[in-house]
Amino acid sequence: KNISGDITNINIKVPAGATVTWETGAAHGSTPLIPEDSAVKTVTISGGGTFKATGDGVGPIRAANEGGKLVFKDVTIVDESQSYAENSWEFGYLEFGGDIEMINADVQNAIMISGENASFTGCTFNSNKQNEYAVWVDNGTASFTGCEFTGSRGLKIHEAYGSDVTSVTVDNSTFGPLSVKPGVAIGDVDGTTAITIKNSTFKGTQPGDQSNYMYESDTAVNSFTFTEVNNTVLK
Protein backbone atom coordinates (compact mmCIF):
# COMPACT_ATOMS: atom_id res chain seq x y z
CA LYS A 1 0.00 0.00 0.00
CA ASN A 2 3.04 2.27 0.26
CA ILE A 3 4.04 1.81 -3.40
CA SER A 4 2.22 3.70 -6.14
CA GLY A 5 2.78 5.02 -9.66
CA ASP A 6 2.93 3.40 -13.04
CA ILE A 7 5.48 1.30 -14.89
CA THR A 8 7.74 4.26 -15.55
CA ASN A 9 7.35 6.28 -12.33
CA ILE A 10 7.30 4.50 -8.98
CA ASN A 11 6.63 6.24 -5.64
CA ILE A 12 7.68 4.49 -2.44
CA LYS A 13 6.29 6.02 0.76
CA VAL A 14 8.31 5.32 3.88
CA PRO A 15 6.42 6.88 6.81
CA ALA A 16 8.14 8.29 9.89
CA GLY A 17 9.38 5.47 12.09
CA ALA A 18 9.63 3.02 9.18
CA THR A 19 12.74 1.90 7.28
CA VAL A 20 13.32 0.68 3.76
CA THR A 21 16.58 -1.24 3.19
CA TRP A 22 18.75 -1.55 0.09
CA GLU A 23 21.58 -4.10 0.01
CA THR A 24 24.65 -2.86 -1.83
CA GLY A 25 26.96 -5.32 -3.55
CA ALA A 26 30.63 -6.22 -3.43
CA ALA A 27 31.55 -5.06 -6.96
CA HIS A 28 31.62 -1.49 -8.18
CA GLY A 29 28.96 -1.92 -10.87
CA SER A 30 26.73 -4.21 -8.86
CA THR A 31 23.23 -3.86 -7.41
CA PRO A 32 21.82 -0.75 -9.12
CA LEU A 33 18.49 0.29 -7.64
CA ILE A 34 17.11 0.60 -11.17
CA PRO A 35 18.67 -2.11 -13.40
CA GLU A 36 20.19 -1.39 -16.79
CA ASP A 37 17.33 -2.86 -18.85
CA SER A 38 14.47 -1.52 -16.72
CA ALA A 39 11.54 0.43 -18.18
CA VAL A 40 11.28 2.38 -14.92
CA LYS A 41 12.44 5.98 -15.33
CA THR A 42 11.94 7.44 -11.85
CA VAL A 43 11.90 5.92 -8.38
CA THR A 44 10.93 8.38 -5.64
CA ILE A 45 11.45 7.43 -1.99
CA SER A 46 9.73 9.83 0.41
CA GLY A 47 7.53 10.10 3.47
CA GLY A 48 9.63 10.96 6.53
CA GLY A 49 11.13 7.54 7.20
CA THR A 50 14.62 6.07 6.77
CA PHE A 51 16.46 4.71 3.74
CA LYS A 52 19.15 2.31 5.03
CA ALA A 53 22.01 0.91 2.97
CA THR A 54 23.38 -2.49 3.98
CA GLY A 55 25.55 -5.14 2.33
CA ASP A 56 29.14 -4.96 1.10
CA GLY A 57 29.17 -1.22 0.46
CA VAL A 58 30.87 -1.17 -2.94
CA GLY A 59 28.07 -1.10 -5.52
CA PRO A 60 26.85 2.51 -5.88
CA ILE A 61 23.19 3.37 -5.36
CA ARG A 62 22.08 4.45 -8.81
CA ALA A 63 19.78 4.11 -11.78
CA ALA A 64 21.76 2.11 -14.35
CA ASN A 65 19.27 2.45 -17.21
CA GLU A 66 19.22 5.24 -19.76
CA GLY A 67 17.11 8.14 -18.51
CA GLY A 68 16.65 6.61 -15.06
CA LYS A 69 16.56 8.80 -11.95
CA LEU A 70 16.41 8.29 -8.18
CA VAL A 71 14.70 10.86 -5.95
CA PHE A 72 15.00 10.91 -2.15
CA LYS A 73 12.60 13.36 -0.49
CA ASP A 74 11.98 13.98 3.22
CA VAL A 75 13.91 10.90 4.29
CA THR A 76 16.88 10.08 6.50
CA ILE A 77 19.74 8.25 4.77
CA VAL A 78 21.82 5.88 6.89
CA ASP A 79 24.78 3.74 5.85
CA GLU A 80 25.09 0.39 7.60
CA SER A 81 27.02 -1.31 4.79
CA GLN A 82 30.42 -2.85 5.42
CA SER A 83 33.08 -2.09 2.81
CA TYR A 84 35.93 -4.54 2.27
CA ALA A 85 38.20 -1.68 3.38
CA GLU A 86 35.95 -0.02 5.94
CA ASN A 87 38.86 1.47 7.89
CA SER A 88 40.37 3.10 4.80
CA TRP A 89 39.16 6.71 4.55
CA GLU A 90 38.32 6.60 0.85
CA PHE A 91 36.27 3.39 1.07
CA GLY A 92 34.12 4.49 3.98
CA TYR A 93 31.77 6.49 1.77
CA LEU A 94 28.30 5.40 0.70
CA GLU A 95 28.42 5.90 -3.06
CA PHE A 96 25.70 7.35 -5.28
CA GLY A 97 25.86 7.45 -9.08
CA GLY A 98 23.73 8.13 -12.13
CA ASP A 99 21.04 10.80 -11.86
CA ILE A 100 20.25 11.57 -8.21
CA GLU A 101 18.03 14.18 -6.59
CA MET A 102 17.71 14.70 -2.84
CA ILE A 103 15.17 17.11 -1.34
CA ASN A 104 15.07 17.80 2.42
CA ALA A 105 17.10 14.66 3.07
CA ASP A 106 19.06 14.14 6.29
CA VAL A 107 22.26 12.32 5.32
CA GLN A 108 23.83 10.91 8.47
CA ASN A 109 26.94 9.29 6.98
CA ALA A 110 29.64 10.28 4.52
CA ILE A 111 28.58 9.94 0.88
CA MET A 112 30.42 10.03 -2.45
CA ILE A 113 28.91 11.37 -5.67
CA SER A 114 30.41 9.51 -8.61
CA GLY A 115 28.29 11.08 -11.39
CA GLU A 116 26.54 11.70 -13.59
CA ASN A 117 24.29 14.38 -12.11
CA ALA A 118 23.30 15.05 -8.50
CA SER A 119 21.22 17.84 -7.00
CA PHE A 120 20.60 18.54 -3.33
CA THR A 121 18.02 21.00 -2.00
CA GLY A 122 17.46 21.69 1.69
CA CYS A 123 19.58 18.73 2.74
CA THR A 124 21.66 18.29 5.90
CA PHE A 125 25.02 16.54 5.97
CA ASN A 126 27.00 15.54 9.05
CA SER A 127 30.58 14.35 8.87
CA ASN A 128 30.59 12.24 12.00
CA LYS A 129 34.12 10.83 11.57
CA GLN A 130 37.29 12.89 11.86
CA ASN A 131 38.78 11.52 8.64
CA GLU A 132 35.72 11.67 6.35
CA TYR A 133 34.08 14.54 4.50
CA ALA A 134 30.30 14.83 4.66
CA VAL A 135 30.13 14.76 0.84
CA TRP A 136 32.84 13.92 -1.69
CA VAL A 137 32.09 14.84 -5.31
CA ASP A 138 34.31 12.58 -7.38
CA ASN A 139 32.73 12.82 -10.83
CA GLY A 140 30.04 14.52 -12.90
CA THR A 141 27.90 17.49 -11.91
CA ALA A 142 26.58 18.34 -8.46
CA SER A 143 24.62 21.26 -7.00
CA PHE A 144 23.82 22.13 -3.38
CA THR A 145 21.08 24.68 -2.63
CA GLY A 146 19.99 25.61 0.88
CA CYS A 147 22.02 22.80 2.43
CA GLU A 148 23.79 22.53 5.79
CA PHE A 149 27.16 20.90 6.52
CA THR A 150 28.26 20.16 10.10
CA GLY A 151 30.64 17.84 11.95
CA SER A 152 34.30 17.36 11.10
CA ARG A 153 34.61 18.12 7.38
CA GLY A 154 32.28 19.65 4.82
CA LEU A 155 32.38 19.27 1.04
CA LYS A 156 35.28 17.66 -0.84
CA ILE A 157 35.75 18.04 -4.62
CA HIS A 158 38.44 15.72 -5.92
CA GLU A 159 38.99 13.71 -9.09
CA ALA A 160 40.44 10.28 -8.48
CA TYR A 161 41.23 7.20 -10.55
CA GLY A 162 40.42 8.85 -13.87
CA SER A 163 37.18 10.51 -12.81
CA ASP A 164 36.13 13.94 -14.10
CA VAL A 165 34.24 16.56 -12.12
CA THR A 166 32.37 18.78 -14.58
CA SER A 167 30.85 21.34 -12.22
CA VAL A 168 29.94 21.87 -8.59
CA THR A 169 27.68 24.72 -7.45
CA VAL A 170 27.06 25.68 -3.82
CA ASP A 171 24.31 28.27 -3.27
CA ASN A 172 22.65 29.66 -0.14
CA SER A 173 24.16 26.96 2.06
CA THR A 174 25.74 26.95 5.52
CA PHE A 175 28.95 25.32 6.70
CA GLY A 176 29.84 24.83 10.32
CA PRO A 177 30.70 24.29 12.91
CA LEU A 178 33.40 22.05 11.39
CA SER A 179 36.14 20.79 13.67
CA VAL A 180 38.82 19.87 11.08
CA LYS A 181 38.52 21.71 7.75
CA PRO A 182 37.20 24.84 6.04
CA GLY A 183 33.82 24.47 4.35
CA VAL A 184 35.01 23.29 0.93
CA ALA A 185 38.17 21.27 0.22
CA ILE A 186 39.28 21.16 -3.42
CA GLY A 187 41.75 18.42 -4.30
CA ASP A 188 42.84 17.49 -7.82
CA VAL A 189 40.65 18.98 -10.56
CA ASP A 190 41.48 19.82 -14.17
CA GLY A 191 40.93 22.83 -16.39
CA THR A 192 37.48 21.64 -17.49
CA THR A 193 36.08 21.83 -13.96
CA ALA A 194 33.86 24.74 -12.84
CA ILE A 195 33.31 25.40 -9.13
CA THR A 196 30.95 28.09 -7.84
CA ILE A 197 30.43 29.08 -4.20
CA LYS A 198 27.86 31.83 -3.65
CA ASN A 199 25.43 33.31 -1.13
CA SER A 200 26.67 30.95 1.57
CA THR A 201 27.72 31.29 5.21
CA PHE A 202 30.77 29.76 6.86
CA LYS A 203 30.62 29.81 10.66
CA GLY A 204 32.96 27.92 12.95
CA THR A 205 34.99 26.40 10.12
CA GLN A 206 38.78 25.93 10.25
CA PRO A 207 41.35 28.06 8.37
CA GLY A 208 42.70 25.32 6.09
CA ASP A 209 45.81 25.52 3.93
CA GLN A 210 45.14 29.03 2.63
CA SER A 211 43.78 30.40 5.95
CA ASN A 212 40.51 31.70 4.53
CA TYR A 213 38.00 29.42 6.36
CA MET A 214 35.74 29.15 3.30
CA TYR A 215 37.81 26.78 1.17
CA GLU A 216 41.24 25.31 0.63
CA SER A 217 42.59 24.06 -2.69
CA ASP A 218 45.40 21.73 -3.72
CA THR A 219 44.89 22.94 -7.30
CA ALA A 220 45.59 26.58 -8.19
CA VAL A 221 42.19 28.28 -8.48
CA ASN A 222 43.32 30.14 -11.61
CA SER A 223 43.82 26.82 -13.42
CA PHE A 224 40.10 25.98 -13.51
CA THR A 225 36.89 28.02 -13.49
CA PHE A 226 36.39 29.20 -9.93
CA THR A 227 33.67 31.66 -8.87
CA GLU A 228 33.19 32.96 -5.33
CA VAL A 229 30.61 35.68 -4.70
CA ASN A 230 28.51 37.09 -1.85
CA ASN A 231 29.67 34.69 0.87
CA THR A 232 30.00 35.39 4.60
CA VAL A 233 32.75 34.08 6.87
CA LEU A 234 32.13 34.26 10.62
CA LYS A 235 35.26 33.12 12.48
Side-chain angles (χ1 to χ4, degrees):
K1 66 181 180 180
N2 289 329
I3 300 177
S4 62
D6 53 37
I7 193 171
T8 58
N9 299 284
I10 295 175
N11 303 304
I12 302 173
K13 295 291 185 181
V14 186
T19 299
V20 60
T21 299
W22 184 255
E23 184 174 0
T24 58
H28 185 75
S30 62
T31 58
L33 204 152
I34 303 179
E36 185 173 352
D37 57 353
S38 175
V40 174
K41 293 303 181 184
T42 303
V43 171
T44 300
I45 299 173
S46 63
T50 298
F51 175 88
K52 182 171 67 176
T54 62
D56 292 312
V58 181
I61 297 169
R62 76 194 201 283
N65 60 333
E66 184 176 356
K69 182 177 183 178
L70 302 180
V71 179
F72 298 87
K73 182 178 181 181
D74 300 317
V75 294
T76 297
I77 295 175
V78 176
D79 180 16
E80 292 188 3
S81 65
Q82 290 294 320
S83 168
Y84 66 92
E86 189 69 23
N87 293 324
S88 172
W89 66 271
E90 63 183 297
F91 293 105
Y93 293 81
L94 178 63
E95 187 174 346
F96 289 85
D99 194 354
I100 295 283
E101 182 177 10
M102 295 190 187
I103 304 166
N104 299 331
D106 178 15
V107 183
Q108 297 192 351
N109 302 85
I111 64 172
M112 174 183 283
I113 304 305
S114 59
E116 305 154 343
N117 181 63
S119 68
F120 303 89
T121 304
C123 296
T124 57
F125 305 97
N126 182 12
S127 167
N128 54 23
K129 294 182 180 180
Q130 286 281 311
N131 62 344
E132 290 179 355
Y133 291 86
V135 183
W136 176 359
V137 179
D138 169 69
N139 192 54
T141 299
S143 64
F144 302 85
T145 304
C147 294
E148 180 180 356
F149 296 79
T150 60
S152 298
R153 302 168 184 245
L155 174 62
K156 180 183 180 72
I157 304 166
H158 175 60
E159 298 173 346
Y161 311 115
S163 62
D164 184 21
V165 176
T166 303
S167 70
V168 178
T169 301
V170 177
D171 186 14
N172 193 33
S173 294
T174 61
F175 293 80
L178 296 174
S179 63
V180 177
K181 286 286 186 178
V184 180
I186 303 168
D188 294 332
V189 296
D190 60 28
T192 66
T193 300
I195 298 174
T196 301
I197 307 171
K198 60 183 180 179
N199 307 320
S200 295
T201 300
F202 299 78
K203 182 178 181 179
T205 55
Q206 302 306 305
D209 295 341
Q210 285 82 36
S211 299
N212 67 12
Y213 297 86
M214 192 177 76
Y215 73 91
E216 66 178 15
S217 184
D218 296 334
T219 304
V221 294
N222 61 1
S223 68
F224 58 93
T225 302
F226 181 74
T227 303
E228 180 267 304
V229 62
N230 197 34
N231 298 297
T232 302
V233 175
L234 303 172
K235 299 179 182 179

